[in-house]
Amino acid sequence: MQKYGLENIHNTVLLSHGGAGKTSLAEAMLFTAGAISRLGKVDDGTSNSDYDPDEIKRKISINLSLLPCEWRNHKLNILDAPGYTDFVGEARAALRVSEGAVIVVCATSGVEVGTEQVWGYCEEAGLPRLVFVNKMDRENADYVKVVGEIQAKLGKKCLPLQLAIGAHSSFEGVVDLLAMKAYTGAGAQAKEGDVPEALKSQAESYREKLVEAIAEVDDALIEKYLGGEEISPEELTATLRRAVIEGKIVPVLAGSALANVATARLLDAIGDYLPTPREGKVLLEKGEAEPSESGPLAALVFKTTADPYVGKLTYFRVYTGSIGSNSQVFNATRDAAERVGQLFMMRGKTQEPVVEVGAGDIGAVAKLNVTDTGDTLCAQDKPVKLAGITFPKPIFNEAVYPKTKTDVDKMGTALTRLAEEDPTLTVHRELGTGEMIMSGMGETHLAVAAEKMQRKFGVNVELATPKVPYRETITTPSKAEYKHRKQSGGHGQYGHVLLEMEPLPERGENEFTDRIVGGSVPKNYIPAVEKGVHEAYQEGGLAGYPVVGIKTTLYDGSFHPVDSSEICFKIAGAQAFKKGVMDGSPILLEPIMNLKVTVPSDLTGDIIGDLNTKRARVMGMNPENDKNIIEAQVPLAEVQRYAIDLKSMTQGRAIYAMEFDHYEEVPANITQKIVAQRQAEKE
Ligand SMILES: Nc1nc2c(ncn2[C@@H]2O[C@H](COP(=O)(O)OP(=O)(O)OP(=O)(O)O)[C@@H](O)[C@H]2O)c(=O)[nH]1
Ligand SMILES: [Mg+2]
């Protein structure tokens, strides 16, 4: 078997708006390259990439898959990422370990919000890319129109490298504008021929633009070009490669994944124009390193899957050196040694055992102990940390309720496992409401997580909109006194404290101090008072929510030489604090979120109108191309289902980010309702 290394591997991620055809395209490429003998279909649940039961059921990609194939003495590691924003974490991970990207655009829908989002990620990462206009076989497919839209929305550096021959049922293949040849027919059997007469003049004019742009990246070439000299095909290809790698040109190609037309040309283009690991970057936590086959090991873990039967599977990308089966490595992120067992190369769900995974390549290993996604594996004596992966912050919450008693016990473990394998999923117990909260990227993301709990861990749960984690605080200073005193048989109980309380301007953490002079409360009882006050923070007097932003000062009290004890002072502290809260004009506070919505301009009015009904403060609007970025602050209580509202308002054409900013006073009329509701719940 051919040896693949830094010079002849291509780690290429497929990215797009949801449903543009990445998985179908990956399948077609594998088939064309001869890596699989049967062309599977997403719609039949038979693709090599979408093999997970959740993917088959929903007919969308949920997890990134690795799909290697060999083409013209190169190894292509195709990384098929999901397009739906709910699973954008997988796309970010795939992007981090790729040297190049193919942005798939649907020939009828054109550039969509998701297209621009992944385009932005590539720009950020400086990732060289190609654009593939897919679904040319569909009714209303219009290559030239889509190219215009691509140039308008993604930039003028997107230049056709191909023209489409026909469209819809007459789509036959493509014209390569550098070779000036036509390629028609399916798969690897595509035939090379002359440019059809009808396309000749159009092809000439597009070729002219492309050649000019290529010449512009090279001083010697532009001189030749301007002097009217012939530029050789080799020069053109080599310079275009350079331009793509430098991010100056993004070639646009056409084809149909479903009909498997022009996929061989895409495989060629990946080899011709996208960088190898040798030309890629090795990003360290600080600075960069040189890719090297002989150097000490540096590998980045970019995906972890958890399965109660198969165990944990860790995907890693090697940047320098190599990693061997049954060896010992060092996890620099965790500062711990890690034993590596049998290594695998993955193709979808298929694992092929290998002895070694070398620089530039991607492998997997089962049952690692300490290693997590984002970690660096290296040599013990040459520790190094690669740059991690940027995962988006969760924007959508659901409360998780176990269905039966047995589910109660198993739920915690299952949730922890899910969060381990998915960095965009977090789990926490909410202070004050006591609910278990699962946070993720959208409704589908969390629904899939709940199904996974059932299927993988046998835990049945129900999801519900979380209760809003309100807080309570005071608005005026107050003083409170409490005397805990009991006489019952033996010796009695006695603790007596006086507290001063004042609101802290930031409404952050509570503070406690004392100003006791002359031992009115003996020193050894002061910590007990503080403990009592601390416990009282958990539940305010207004509606029973946790209390924040209060400074409490213990300034006086009294004790009894026999009857006083720590517990008595603790009780006194807690009770005095409760009284003080009620006397300090208490209010309810609610979480206010920073919301950023990216929306096509024509929908701006609808989004703003909706935000106005949600007590939002619109902070800014930034038009960008034909999009608008709306920034607003809005109470969490109003946007707990925003992922769903936005999707239905825009048919999925908008995306948003949301994170907690601060707590703010709840308007009085709403406070009344909440207090009444809490009262009713208690009764
Ligand atoms: N007509 C036509 N349909 C296609 C083509 N490619 C994909 N499709 C269909 O488009 C739908 C989505 O295809 P996928 O391959 O799952 O798209 P995807 O980009 O992987 O989707 P996500 O991973 O969920 O974002 C399926 O119904 C495919 O059959 C194509 O070239 N022509
Ligand atoms: Mg897919």
Side-chain angles (χ1 to χ4, degrees):
M1 204 180 97
Q2 167 114 21
K3 177 120 175 80
Y4 295 109
L6 291 174
E7 271 80 23
N8 56 3
I9 292 178
H10 288 274
N11 298 302
T12 306
V13 58
L14 307 184
L15 297 168
S16 80
H17 186 81
K22 300 171 296 299
T23 299
S24 307
L25 184 60
E27 188 78 11
M29 287 199 280
L30 288 191
F31 185 73
T32 298
I36 52 173
S37 52
R38 184 173 170 276
L39 185 64
K41 280 199 167 72
V42 172
D43 301 310
D44 306 340
T46 53
S47 74
N48 279 270
S49 180
D50 289 358
Y51 58 82
D52 193 88
D54 297 317
E55 298 181 312
I56 292 171
K57 178 182 149 196
R58 289 169 193 266
K59 296 196 170 72
I60 60 170
S61 299
I62 290 171
N63 311 299
L64 78 85
S65 317
L66 193 62
L67 303 153
C69 64
E70 292 166 277
W71 187 252
R72 294 192 332 195
N73 299 321
H74 281 239
K75 178 179 180 185
L76 265 53
N77 282 322
I78 301 167
L79 291 107
D80 178 26
Y84 287 91
T85 48
D86 281 58
F87 309 104
V88 66
E90 296 284 300
R92 304 255 17 187
L95 207 135
R96 171 67 185 86
V97 295
S98 299
E99 270 84 39
V102 175
I103 310 285
V104 182
V105 175
C106 169
T108 54
S109 324
V111 175
E112 296 170 90
V113 195
T115 324
E116 291 183 73
Q117 191 182 17
V118 293
W119 186 265
Y121 293 158
C122 291
E123 287 282 301
E124 235 171 71
L127 205 65
R129 71 214 87 136
L130 308 172
V131 172
F132 185 80
V133 178
N134 187 36
K135 306 199 188 182
M136 277 307 301
D137 61 295
R138 271 183 68 173
E139 211 176 327
N140 301 323
D142 186 339
Y143 181 68
V144 171
K145 185 174 152 217
V146 170
V147 165
E149 195 180 303
I150 289 169
Q151 290 178 333
K153 292 186 177 176
L154 306 180
K156 290 265 178 293
K157 65 181 175 186
C158 302
L159 289 171
L161 172 66
Q162 298 177 346
L163 285 185
I165 305 174
H168 185 200
S169 54
S170 69
F171 176 64
E172 282 173 45
V174 295
V175 170
D176 184 295
L177 296 171
L178 282 193
M180 281 306 258
K181 293 277 181 208
Y183 298 86
T184 52
Q189 277 77 50
K191 286 191 180 49
E192 188 180 297
D194 293 332
V195 178
E197 206 53 46
L199 276 177
K200 267 198 174 135
S201 75
Q202 197 186 17
E204 284 298 345
S205 95
Y206 273 100
R207 178 186 159 83
E208 201 50 37
K209 283 181 213 153
L210 180 63
V211 171
E212 188 184 338
I214 295 172
E216 268 171 19
V217 296
D218 187 286
D219 290 344
L221 224 54
I222 192 77
E223 260 176 52
K224 267 193 183 178
Y225 177 80
L226 293 174
E229 269 180 72
E230 184 73 17
I231 306 175
S232 74
E234 293 75 26
E235 271 178 307
L236 284 175
T237 307
T239 315
L240 177 55
R241 176 185 185 87
R242 217 180 87 197
V244 172
I245 292 175
E246 288 172 3
K248 290 177 179 152
I249 295 179
V250 177
V252 182
L253 294 79
S256 163
L258 213 56
N260 194 11
V261 172
T263 48
R265 297 304 299 160
L266 175 61
L267 288 164
D268 284 346
I270 291 173
D272 286 343
Y273 306 115
L274 291 182
T276 60
R278 172 69 77 204
E279 297 153 306
K281 295 179 193 153
V282 182
L283 298 177
L284 303 178
E285 214 173 59
K286 290 190 194 81
E288 283 185 31
E290 282 298 308
S292 111
E293 259 142 15
S294 56
L297 170 69
L300 183 71
V301 171
F302 64 96
K303 183 175 172 64
T304 310
T305 57
D307 190 289
Y309 307 108
V310 184
K312 188 165 137 179
L313 193 65
T314 302
Y315 291 66
F316 59 88
R317 153 79 205 266
V318 181
Y319 285 87
T320 61
S322 65
I323 181 167
S325 277
N326 306 312
S327 64
Q328 172 124 348
V329 296
F330 184 68
N331 183 324
T333 316
R334 313 270 151 209
D335 201 9
E338 181 78 91
R339 265 220 60 78
V340 168
Q342 177 65 55
L343 295 178
F344 301 102
M345 296 268 181
M346 304 295 298
R347 176 174 296 128
K349 66 176 166 192
T350 319
Q351 309 179 339
E352 188 194 319
V354 291
V355 188
E356 188 187 75
V357 179
D361 216 341
I362 293 174
V365 60
K367 300 196 172 66
L368 291 189
N369 274 322
V370 297
T371 303
D372 250 331
T373 300
D375 291 1
T376 301
L377 302 177
C378 59
Q380 178 113 39
D381 54 344
K382 295 262 168 42
V384 57
K385 278 188 201 161
L386 292 159
I389 306 165
T390 319
F391 287 107
K393 294 210 177 79
I395 52 171
F396 187 75
N397 298 336
E398 298 265 27
V400 192
Y401 286 97
K403 278 194 181 152
T404 68
K405 184 83 185 55
T406 48
D407 296 322
V408 178
D409 305 331
K410 291 191 288 180
M411 188 173 92
T413 324
L415 281 171
T416 313
R417 287 284 184 77
L418 284 187
E420 263 169 24
E421 73 167 10
D422 183 352
T424 60
L425 189 114
T426 60
V427 179
H428 74 279
R429 190 172 292 282
E430 186 63 51
L431 189 70
T433 65
E435 286 183 315
M436 199 63 150
I437 306 293
M438 182 158 71
S439 312
M441 302 311 300
E443 194 193 18
T444 310
H445 184 205
L446 298 186
V448 167
E451 282 166 33
K452 241 187 221 171
M453 284 175 78
Q454 209 283 318
R455 187 166 49 79
K456 282 190 166 185
F457 302 96
V459 184
N460 289 294
V461 296
E462 247 164 62
L463 301 182
T465 302
K467 295 175 186 152
V468 178
Y470 293 105
R471 297 286 183 264
E472 298 184 17
T473 193
I474 55 172
T475 53
T476 55
S478 67
K479 283 191 175 184
E481 178 177 2
Y482 192 86
K483 191 180 276 177
H484 176 70
R485 171 186 235 168
K486 265 190 188 152
Q487 276 308 340
S488 55
H491 73 78
Q493 299 181 15
Y494 187 92
H496 174 210
V497 299
L498 285 95
L499 303 179
E500 240 173 45
M501 289 157 59
E502 57 186 304
L504 288 167
E506 302 86 36
R507 291 175 176 169
E509 286 208 7
N510 298 303
E511 291 172 17
F512 179 90
T513 58
D514 76 89
R515 212 174 56 220
I516 297 291
V517 281
S520 55
V521 175
K523 266 211 154 41
N524 53 325
Y525 291 136
I526 294 177
V529 178
E530 181 170 3
K531 211 167 167 197
V533 170
H534 264 271
E535 277 177 17
Y537 292 160
Q538 306 306 320
E539 209 175 287
L542 197 56
Y545 289 104
V547 174
V548 296
I550 298 181
K551 181 178 174 183
T552 305
T553 310
L554 168 67
Y555 70 96
D556 206 356
S558 63
F559 71 104
H560 186 279
V562 180
D563 292 350
S564 280
S565 67
E566 283 186 15
I567 184 83
C568 296
F569 273 100
K570 200 178 114 183
I571 293 170
Q575 293 304 327
F577 181 83
K578 279 191 183 162
K579 281 171 75 180
V581 169
M582 291 321 284
D583 289 344
S585 321
I587 53 165
L588 270 192
L589 298 175
E590 62 180 340
I592 304 292
M593 313 302 283
N594 278 333
L595 178 69
K596 190 166 148 187
V597 193
T598 307
V599 56
S601 298
D602 56 313
L603 294 172
T604 305
D606 296 356
I607 302 299
I608 299 281
D610 174 68
L611 284 175
N612 285 337
T613 68
K614 292 183 154 72
R615 297 194 282 133
R617 270 194 303 269
V618 176
M619 315 293 278
M621 269 201 267
N622 295 306
E624 223 176 67
N625 296 327
D626 59 343
K627 284 176 306 170
N628 230 323
I629 299 170
I630 303 165
E631 291 187 57
Q633 289 203 324
V634 53
L636 175 64
E638 304 285 343
V639 284
Q640 298 230 77
R641 313 306 284 171
Y642 201 62
I644 302 160
D645 295 352
L646 191 65
K647 203 165 264 177
S648 73
M649 269 188 296
T650 65
Q651 286 79 46
R653 290 170 66 210
I655 50 172
Y656 77 104
M658 181 158 75
E659 66 183 347
F660 169 76
D661 193 61
H662 66 281
Y663 270 95
E664 221 169 87
E665 181 170 355
V666 178
N669 58 328
I670 298 176
T671 301
Q672 273 170 15
K673 272 189 215 150
I674 296 166
V675 171
Q677 200 180 329
R678 287 285 272 196
Q679 208 70 46
E681 275 172 26
K682 275 199 178 141
E683 282 156 18

